[in-house]
């Protein structure tokens, strides 16, 4: 007798570790750059150069790439950009990792602080959060049919499952050109830029993914002219396109992570030869996981009638989609500027820090802060530009009916809208909409029959069973368990006792005839 099985494709995180560390360096201003009068903006990103796994750990080598925008009192440009790198090598304890594993590592700059030591030296400190994972694909073998001549009884159990259909990494390249409005001066040089993705969505289609979203761009530049006027320009660029994805079909469930990778901005001449066009080339790194929901019937139990059948089982964990949920919350607060007066706002940006998530009744409670950064004009000659930062706390519950602690999914948090307005020369009003999304899978533990052993019936055991018996149903009895105990087919019990359903009541009498 042969047990026929079907592979169910699964994915899992076999090992995961999160660590934090601090990078610090004192940086001298290069000789070709002027003195620092006041600091304005800073930004940083982690670049991973090498990932070297070993037993229960992984060594990561990389760099913190930073940029600092500062004001100078020296003749020439009033705003100057300083760029640099701080290398690092960090060993992360990753229990269960092996030298042959493929480890993915993501590094995020949680906090970047730049301070002036003097006009020719800056201190840079950064708090880095690094996440290392070993993810793998594997198959669970589900018993779905029997092939053989032995007379056996078996029953099916219906299940709803979500199996992984596609798991891969890809990139989406985006090229756009933006022309400055006519009331803006030509570009002499770009000093600072910030690029952010918003409202990015993926839709599964046959053999491809549809991608839509917005690119939000801020540019601070020196204009052409004798006095090189400083100008800021912001715009939002919608985009859409297709990404080839072999094997996907409409109706599948996408669980897709993305982040902005390589980005390039270049000033290009317009049709009149004037420097008024900004060319943008972006690479979006995409982690694609697409799941397929399916109803499956597995053989959950078996017993022999003419032979002794022993089922060998093992514990498996399948999953089904519990909820794909998106939620939004509003955040409001006031920011007070200490020292100086705000004459005009130039630029504001925000990032969501997700600091804690926990399951509550029918939901996921997320807590953290909205990190807001605002650049403004002061009107003061010695420090004409200022920058202020604030952390605004939030908490929000994503509604997920029926969720249990073990069902927690990865939550994506984004700033959907951010509006900063002046209340007076020292206070600003901040209004934001934060968006949270997650796909929650419910773990489905199941005992799978992995093998069956067939042997002759024990003559002593069979002789101890009566040929005919009047059986009184007990609480918890069902036709399957009774038939299994007496080696009688369920259908025989049903027909012999004139039962129209398998429902039994305690105290009910059944006639059982061995072999009949």
């Amino acid at each position: 007798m042969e047990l026929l099985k079907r592979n169910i494709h699964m994915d899992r995180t076999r090992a995961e570790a999160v660590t934090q560390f601090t990078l610090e360096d004192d940086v001298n201003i290069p000789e070709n750059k002027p003195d620092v009068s006041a600091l304005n903006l800073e930004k940083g990103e982690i670049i991973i150069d090498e990932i070297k796994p070993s037993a229960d750990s992984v060594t990561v080598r990389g760099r913190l790439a930073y940029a600092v925008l500062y004001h100078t009192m020296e003749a020439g440009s009033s705003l100057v950009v300083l760029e640099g790198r701080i290398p690092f090598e960090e060993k992360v304890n990753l229990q269960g990792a092996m030298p042959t594993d493929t480890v993915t590592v993501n590094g995020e700059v949680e906090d970047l602080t730049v301070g002036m030591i003097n006009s020719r030296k800056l201190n840079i400190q950064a708090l880095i959060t690094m996440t290392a994972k070993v993810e793998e694909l594997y198959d669970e073998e589900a018993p779905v049919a029997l092939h053989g001549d032995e007379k056996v009884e078996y029953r099916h159990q219906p299940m709803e499952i979500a199996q992984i259909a596609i798991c891969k990494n890809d990139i989406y390249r985006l090229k756009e050109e933006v022309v400055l409005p006519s009331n803006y001066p030509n570009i002499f040089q770009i000093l600072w830029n910030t690029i952010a993705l918003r409202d990015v969505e993926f839709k599964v289609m046959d053999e491809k993914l549809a991608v839509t979203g917005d690119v939000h761009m801020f540019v601070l530049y020196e204009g052409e002219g004798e006095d090189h006027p400083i100008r800021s320009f912001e715009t939002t660029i919608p985009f859409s396109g297709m990404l080839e994805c072999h094997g996907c079909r409409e109706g599948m469930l996408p669980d897709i992570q993305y982040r902005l990778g390589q980005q390039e901005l270049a000033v290009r001449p317009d049709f009149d030869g004037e420097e008024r066009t900004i060319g943008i080339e972006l690479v979006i790194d995409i982690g694609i996981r697409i799941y397929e929901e399916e109803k499956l019937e597995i053989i959950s139990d078996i017993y022999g009638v003419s032979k002794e059948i022993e089922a060998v089982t093992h514990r498996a964990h399948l999953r089904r989609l519990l909820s794909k949920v998106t939620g939004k919350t509003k955040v409001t607060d006031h920011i007070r500027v200490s020292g100086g007066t705000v004459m005009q706002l130039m630029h504001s940006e925000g990032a969501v820090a997700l600091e804690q998530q926990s399951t509550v009744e029918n939901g996921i409670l997320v807590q953290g802060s909205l990190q807001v950064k605002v650049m403004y004009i002061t009107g003061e000659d010695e420090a004409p530009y200022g920058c202020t930062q604030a952390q605004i706390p939030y908490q929000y519950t994503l509604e997920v009916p029926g969720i249990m602690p073990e069902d927690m999914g990865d939550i994506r948090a984004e700033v959907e809208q951010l509006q900063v307005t002046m209340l007076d020369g020292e206070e600003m009003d901040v209004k934001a909409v934060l968006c949270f999304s997650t796909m929650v899978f419910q773990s489905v533990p199941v005992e799978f029959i992995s093998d069956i052993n067939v042997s002759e019936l024990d003559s002593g055991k069979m002789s101890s069973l009566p040929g005919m018996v009047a059986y009184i149903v007990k609480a918890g009895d069902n036709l399957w368990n009774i038939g299994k105990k007496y080696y009688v087919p369920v259908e025989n019990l049903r027909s012999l006792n004139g039962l129209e359903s398998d429902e039994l009541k305690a105290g009910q009498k059944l006639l059982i005839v061995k072999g009949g």
Side-chain angles (χ1 to χ4, degrees), residues 28 30 137-138 184 230 259 276 323 358 381 409 439 442 508:
N28 293 315
L137 302 175
Y138 69 101
Y184 280 73
I230 301 295
R259 60 184 296 164
R276 304 187 56 79
S323 181
S358 56
D381 292 338
M439 182 177 284
Q442 187 175 52
Q508 182 178 349

Side-chain angles (χ1 to χ4, degrees), residues 37-317:
S37 174
L39 299 171
N40 295 116
L41 288 173
E42 67 281 330
K43 61 182 177 181
E45 77 170 310
I46 293 298
I47 300 171
I48 305 295
D49 294 320
E50 183 182 13
I51 300 171
K52 189 175 181 180
S54 55
D56 295 326
S57 69
V58 58
T59 300
V60 183
R61 290 179 58 253
R63 297 161 285 155
L64 166 65
Y66 63 85
V68 180
L69 181 71
Y70 68 88
H71 175 253
T72 181
M73 296 294 291
E74 294 187 15
S77 175
S78 60
L79 289 175
V80 182
V81 177
L82 173 68
E83 296 179 317
R85 305 284 189 268
I86 302 177
F88 66 85
E89 181 174 315
E90 190 73 14
K91 184 176 181 180
V92 182
N93 293 324
L94 189 59
Q95 195 67 33
M98 297 180 290
T100 55
D101 283 336
T102 298
V103 181
T104 58
V105 177
N106 287 322
E108 298 290 341
V109 181
E110 296 292 338
D111 183 53
L112 179 63
T113 303
V114 181
M116 280 183 60
I117 298 175
N118 55 51
S119 63
R120 301 300 299 174
K121 182 178 286 190
L122 303 180
N123 174 258
I124 297 177
Q125 297 181 32
L127 176 63
I128 311 301
T129 297
M130 189 168 289
T131 304
K133 290 183 180 181
V134 177
E135 297 176 300
E136 64 182 6
L137 302 175
Y138 69 101
D139 284 344
E140 290 283 5
E141 293 186 326
V144 294
L146 282 170
H147 179 71
D149 298 329
E150 289 83 1
K151 191 173 183 181
V152 297
E153 285 285 294
Y154 60 90
R155 61 177 177 180
H156 283 106
Q157 176 184 347
M159 301 186 71
E160 290 185 359
I161 63 170
Q163 64 173 332
I164 184 81
I166 297 169
C167 180
K168 67 174 185 176
N169 295 322
D170 208 336
I171 60 172
Y172 181 79
R173 297 185 183 275
L174 181 64
K175 292 184 179 182
E176 297 285 350
E177 286 192 344
V178 178
V179 180
L180 292 178
S182 58
N183 58 331
Y184 280 73
N186 293 351
I187 300 171
F188 176 69
Q189 68 171 334
I190 291 178
L191 297 169
W192 193 264
N193 71 81
T194 302
I195 304 292
L197 299 174
R198 292 182 180 172
D199 299 329
V200 179
E201 294 183 355
F202 298 87
K203 183 180 180 181
V204 177
M205 306 179 73
D206 290 343
E207 300 295 321
K208 55 192 174 183
L209 289 174
V211 187
T212 59
D214 293 329
V215 175
H216 186 78
M217 179 184 73
F218 165 72
V219 173
L220 191 67
Y221 72 94
E222 279 187 335
E224 288 183 350
E226 191 173 326
D227 56 350
H228 290 299
I230 301 295
R231 291 290 185 269
S232 64
F233 174 69
E234 279 189 86
T235 188
T236 298
I237 310 161
F239 68 90
S240 62
M242 293 291 178
L243 193 64
E244 290 187 8
C245 188
H246 179 66
C248 71
R249 299 189 303 276
E250 192 171 350
M252 288 183 172
L253 304 170
D255 184 14
I256 297 177
Q257 304 293 321
Y258 65 90
R259 60 184 296 164
L260 190 58
Q262 183 179 349
Q263 46 188 291
E264 294 182 9
L265 266 70
V267 180
R268 299 169 184 168
D270 62 8
F271 291 114
D272 298 324
E274 297 184 328
E275 302 289 308
R276 304 187 56 79
T277 300
I278 302 173
I280 308 172
E281 294 188 16
L282 305 178
V283 174
I284 304 175
D285 297 320
I286 305 173
I288 301 173
R289 275 180 167 76
I290 299 179
Y291 296 87
E292 185 174 21
E293 288 187 292
E294 186 177 354
K295 292 183 178 179
L296 183 69
E297 285 197 342
I298 66 165
I299 295 178
S300 59
D301 201 1
I302 183 172
Y303 68 87
V305 175
S306 59
K307 298 278 188 176
E308 190 76 58
I309 303 292
E310 178 192 8
V312 179
T313 64
H314 74 278
R315 189 78 162 176
H317 287 271

